[in-house]
Amino acid sequence: MTSTVTSSPRRDDAPLRHPAVARRAIALLLGAGATTVLLAVVGFGVGSHPISPAQVLDALTAYDPTRNEHVIVMASRVPRMLLGILVGAALGMAGALMQSLTRNPLADPGILGVNAGASLLVVVAIAYLGVTSVHGYIWFAFAGAALAAVLVFALGSAHRSGATPVRFALAGTAVAIAIGAVTQMILISNETAFQYFRFWSVGSLQGRGLDVIVAVLPFLVVGLSVALLLARPLDSLALGDAAARSLGTSVGAVRASTALAVVLLAGGATAAAGPIGFIGLAAAHIVRQVVGNSHRWLLPCSIVVGAGLLVSADTLGRALVAPADLQSGIAAALLGSPLFIALVRSRRVASL
Amino acid sequence: MRSRLLTVTALAALAALALGGCSSETDTLSDTEAAAAAAGDSSWPRTVEHGAGETEISAAPLRIVSVSPSITGSLLAIDAPLVGSAATTVSPLSDDKGFFTQWADAADEAGVEVVYGDLELDLDAVDLFEPDLIIGSVNGGDATLEAYDQLSEIAPTVLLDYGTVTWQELTTELGTITGLEEQAAATIAEYDDWVAAQAEKIMLPEQPVTAAVYMGADGVWAFGADSPQARLLTALGFTYEAAAEAFRSEQTGANGVDILSAENAASGLAGSRTLFLVAMGGGDPVSAFVGDPLLVNQPAVAADRVHSLGTESFRLDYFSAKNTTQLIVDTFSE
């Protein structure tokens, strides 16, 4: 638990090849991975309906569709766990990418207008097109997330001096506020839209079947792959635009690719589970504090820590409120924020 | 509780009136209420206890404004002199002005105008109608409790708790407030006779039954045995089964609603052989319900005995109760 990396002057290439960093990163990967798997399995038995470990085992090995407990495990908890891992991984990665892209340590899927854009098109779909199922929302949420991100990217790089992290952050905030206002206008005048949107907008992993996972999986896989390829260029970019160019990095192309990966990841995650806050923000910070700012370790670790955070929050949340059901977005905020505050207080937050 | 007490008191007063106004029957009533009940319409002023306090009404009201669309239907059912009503947000449950569909026609016939829309209280608009009595609610989306003092400056204001009483109790209460006790009693009696006649036409499906609102991934809101929806079904001859207690969440709504999480819905409703779904969001909630993989083992779902209770059954008043009954009769008529 030493803090040599985070308390030393920020980023240089040395820690990248430092064996201690690699050891810490591998320990983090293994630890977060094991926690995710453990809590995911424990989560099969935890929730609003009590199910014993023996029944869980039965459901997994000798599925009987006439037994409610078996149906709950297979139709509710398994898809919920898989979606939690996927969404958490995507949000963790998206958070890390956004923080690097905007050089803003508070960046998360909210800052590039992704959540706002997704919300707007979901509300439009409910209010004017009569779409009321999760499976119907997905594509609207995706399109909204992408449109907002493209708009933010265009606004952020419109000035002839080119894109800067501050411009992205400002454009994202402005677009998010403007889109949010339109969303509210539609909701206020439409009670039905409000009823359906209310559930989507707090973020939930419940009630999303395997088909939702199948629908967003390709986008998340492409997003994660693109992101992992960006590790080295993002390290150069962290040195500043001029230095990056002198190292042969195409600054514009890297920014555009990063933004694309963010849209695929945050858009896909938001489409599948609604806007879930905190995970994208916290996962990247936790990783930065353990392994530093090198993207070679930051990006893969953010995937695993993001998945671990969301699955842990969701499982603990369900255990706490049974026989009610706590929506994952609320669980992430309730259980994640104290952890995050503790981290911020105990160590120096990585500056970007 | 206070409004329920008032209702009970009002019912007792009516009973006393029916029995000949015997003074020994009215020990539990306040002097004013007893006098009002004993003397009928001529006993003004009268003091009404309600959800926001006590209000003196000096004479039989002639220009009533309702700032609660959920109460407007019950006022129309007793032919109260209603000149204006607040309107709700336009939805599948309302007409294009924001009047609930069940009483929108009755309101138009009676010349009732929209005071303000979207439930956005507009005190100036209320004032323009020059009401001599304002009736509103203390709970629900159309609650105006915070504006009670301002409303009282415009006209005597009575705020009622419609969330915990049946529409019959609410109607009786409104009869006492407006001096239309006889109309209220007649409306309820007419309804009871009509429902009894409708019950004859029904071939009951497999019993018992439960009424609920399907909330998708949010689970199911099952109406309790004391809910207006359960009472309506019971009056038609159905046997009502509330959700199993072990699977209910802590929260229960104002209308005696038991909340079941999505995972608990099938087990919580396992005792019910036929289900009725209130179409709160409009449309047909049945297909979404029977398509939920978590509900395949619920007996009514497995046997294809899930029926829509229509859009008007969420807020029951004289009009919507009749429409809902009609829908049930159409579904199960012999």
Side-chain angles (χ1 to χ4, degrees), chain B residues 24-199:
Chain B
S24 65
E25 298 277 343
T26 58
D27 288 350
T28 58
L29 306 181
S30 75
D31 289 350
T32 323
E33 280 166 340
D41 282 7
S42 63
S43 69
W44 302 93
R46 58 178 69 177
T47 303
V48 178
E49 251 189 68
H50 55 90
E54 213 174 61
T55 297
E56 189 186 274
I57 305 168
S58 57
L62 299 172
R63 293 184 61 80
I64 300 175
V65 162
S66 164
V67 290
S68 164
S70 294
I71 293 176
T72 300
S74 295
L75 283 166
L76 289 164
I78 58 171
D79 293 325
L82 191 64
V83 290
S85 170
T88 185
T89 48
V90 174
S91 77
L93 312 185
S94 77
D95 71 358
D96 53 11
K97 295 191 298 293
F99 279 179
F100 286 120
T101 51
Q102 62 261 32
W103 50 257
D105 288 345
D108 291 344
E109 267 176 44
V112 176
E113 290 180 50
V114 175
V115 179
Y116 53 82
D118 289 340
L119 296 181
E120 286 174 23
L121 178 63
D122 181 342
L123 292 166
D124 293 335
V126 174
D127 198 17
L128 282 176
F129 277 80
E130 297 177 358
D132 53 13
L133 178 65
I134 298 170
I135 292 180
S137 63
V138 291
N139 53 1
D142 51 4
T144 49
L145 188 57
E146 283 176 14
Y148 175 66
D149 290 340
Q150 290 109 302
L151 287 167
S152 297
E153 281 173 23
I154 299 171
T157 300
V158 176
L159 299 186
L160 303 173
D161 174 6
Y162 67 79
T164 55
V165 295
T166 64
W167 70 262
Q168 287 95 330
E169 289 166 338
L170 181 69
T171 303
T172 304
E173 200 170 354
L174 289 168
T176 310
I177 293 163
T178 57
L180 297 167
E181 294 91 341
E182 284 172 26
Q183 281 90 331
T187 299
I188 293 166
E190 183 258 320
Y191 171 84
D192 288 343
D193 290 345
W194 181 79
V195 166
Q198 300 305 308

Side-chain angles (χ1 to χ4, degrees), chain A residues 255-284:
Chain A
R255 288 226 170 92
S257 313
T258 309
L260 173 72
V262 165
V263 168
L264 291 172
L265 293 168
T270 307
I276 291 183
F278 174 76
I279 301 292
L281 179 71

Side-chain angles (χ1 to χ4, degrees), chain A residues 143-228:
Chain A
L147 285 175
V150 167
L151 183 63
V152 169
F153 194 74
L155 283 174
S157 46
H159 195 266
R160 56 181 143 61
S161 64
T164 64
V166 175
R167 255 184 237 290
F168 276 132
L170 282 176
T173 308
V175 166
I177 291 171
I179 292 178
V182 178
T183 307
Q184 286 304 319
M185 259 168 52
I186 299 174
L187 282 178
I188 283 169
S189 59
N190 193 310
E191 192 181 2
T192 313
F194 176 75
Q195 287 296 341
Y196 285 101
F197 180 73
R198 190 177 56 86
F199 188 75
W200 184 83
S201 66
V202 292
S204 177
L205 300 172
Q206 177 64 39
R208 276 76 164 146
L210 285 170
D211 49 343
V212 171
I213 296 173
V214 170
V216 295
L217 188 62
F219 299 97
L220 299 186
V221 169
V222 172
L224 289 172
S225 310
V226 169
L228 288 173

Side-chain angles (χ1 to χ4, degrees), chain B residues 162-252:
Chain B
Y162 67 79
T164 55
V165 295
T166 64
W167 70 262
Q168 287 95 330
E169 289 166 338
L170 181 69
T171 303
T172 304
E173 200 170 354
L174 289 168
T176 310
I177 293 163
T178 57
L180 297 167
E181 294 91 341
E182 284 172 26
Q183 281 90 331
T187 299
I188 293 166
E190 183 258 320
Y191 171 84
D192 288 343
D193 290 345
W194 181 79
V195 166
Q198 300 305 308
E200 306 274 304
K201 301 178 185 171
I202 296 174
M203 194 166 72
L204 290 176
E206 200 166 330
Q207 303 292 306
V209 305
T210 306
V213 184
Y214 179 57
M215 304 296 289
D218 242 346
V220 170
W221 293 358
F223 290 100
D226 287 338
S227 66
Q229 288 78 3
R231 291 189 203 189
L232 182 146
L233 288 163
T234 310
L236 282 167
F238 292 90
T239 308
Y240 197 84
E241 174 91 5
E245 200 170 347
F247 298 102
R248 296 176 196 164
S249 308
E250 296 289 319
Q251 326 107 287
T252 48

